[in-house]
Amino acid sequence: MTAQPLAGVRPTVAAFGSVDGELAVGGIPVSRLAERVGSTPFFAYDRELITGRVAQLRAALPDRVQLSYAVKANPMPAVVQHLATLVDSLDVASAREMRAALDTPLAATHVSFAGPGKTDAEITQAVAAGVTIEMESATEAARVVSAGERLGLRPRVAVRVNPDFQVKGSGMRMGGGPQQFGIDAEQVPALLADLAAADVDLLGYHVFAGSQNLNASIIAEAQRKTVDLVLALAERTPWPVRYLNLGGGFGIPYFDRDRPLELQAVGDNLADLVHARIDPHLPDARVVIELGRYLVGEAGVYVTRVVDRKVSRGRTYLVVDGGMHHQLAASGNFGQVIRRNYPVVVGNRMAEAPTETVTVVGCLCTPLDLLGDGVELPPADVGDLVVLFQAGAYGLTASPTAFLGHPEPVEVLV
Ligand SMILES: *Cc1c(COP(=O)(O)O)cnc(C)c1O
């Protein structure tokens, strides 16, 4: 089936298209997809949208810049497998994510393991696998060295640097000032001295300044400062730098007033940096941008079914069979300061005009379980499918699924 364009809706919604007056996911009308899945609620990820997003990135970024997928955004094995055919490398943050990455055709040398608090067991598995360990502290560095000695292997490592600058405008700041992430830039020379006699393969540096940034000029500035910082560190590194992970932080528009990131502006700045700074000074470095939500966030929907419709003192409620236990972020409880609505539609009534204002709530017995506050929708009744967008990243695995004890939803890649 070929999806038809959808008019008059936000780009995130329009990207899915419609078939027979219904929202299409992977070209399949959502009510048919619900029959195929066999139960609601469920998450559906659109393969073509993920493929298209990677293609946009490839077109906008300079050839020398490689793409890494941050698995924690969506670790569903089928999604990870699909992305492994499209990107250059995978970034994992736990042993379980590492197993998902190692199950793909990508070589272990193209898997990196970041994140604070890596245990001895995780470090041992990572060294044995041959993935690149992004060391977040001096303690972790010592653990890596001893794991390598014990296994008789030379660990592949990079230093995650907590930069000496901060990035404004990030939804989540993960670099600059005091941080649990990375090793403070000014402590790196001492770490290098400690590692001088150790049998590790020090590949280079990783700087991740923040997440969910929609401002191209701020991302560009962070990348410039990151390159400056790594060039300064490279002068004090006794080996050629072979790995430069510039982080990512590309944001996606969750709310009505969010404007999409101007990707080409980021790409143009990177092209300048590669040409003027990286090519001449770091000729041997594999240059990487690592992205999570930008690759998958907009490709996913959370599909719920209306189980009740009621009017309380003039306000109309649609009660759906899903909720914040599956899609916490849509309820506004995943780090948001002010709750705003994620895009929401009645998936089986895309051809009908929105004529009423309703409150969409989940099935949990808490007022926190609010999915759409005063949203305009076509009249919906029991059995209709309410679809929430921006569910491809930090959805199911970032939600408290055990809360209230409802069954786990199915996930499909379509
Ligand atoms: C979480 C994380 C990412 C992905 O962040 P997004 O906002 O999803 O792009 C990338 N790198 C590191 C080190 C992370 O911890």
Side-chain angles (χ1 to χ4, degrees), residues 87-99:
V87 300
D88 303 289
S89 52
L90 298 170
D91 182 66
V92 300
S94 71
R96 183 163 169 179
E97 288 185 7
M98 184 177 76
R99 285 197 295 277

Side-chain angles (χ1 to χ4, degrees), residues 322-391:
M324 65 182 286
H325 54 316
H326 299 159
Q327 181 52 354
L328 182 67
S331 74
N333 293 295
F334 189 58
Q336 296 95 329
V337 180
I338 302 166
R339 192 199 170 284
R340 295 194 187 89
N341 293 324
Y342 278 31
V344 54
V345 303
V346 182
N348 56 313
R349 297 186 186 275
M350 295 305 285
E352 297 174 35
T355 53
E356 63 176 20
T357 302
V358 296
T359 300
V360 179
V361 296
C363 58
L364 302 192
C365 196
T366 160
L368 297 177
D369 197 8
L370 175 60
L371 300 176
D373 189 9
V375 289
E376 288 180 18
L377 295 177
D381 212 337
V382 172
D384 282 330
L385 296 170
V386 168
V387 179
L388 288 139
F389 291 81
Q390 309 296 37

Side-chain angles (χ1 to χ4, degrees), residues 70 72-73 91 93 114-115 134 136 160 174 181 206 208 210-212 247-251 290-294 393-394:
K72 82 170 185 285
D91 182 66
E134 310 206 309
E136 309 255 354
R160 177 159 176 193
M174 293 171 72
F181 308 108
H206 172 208
F208 184 71
S211 208
Q212 180 48 22
F250 298 9
E290 66 181 2
L291 300 172
R293 74 189 75 215
Y294 196 77
Y394 307 108

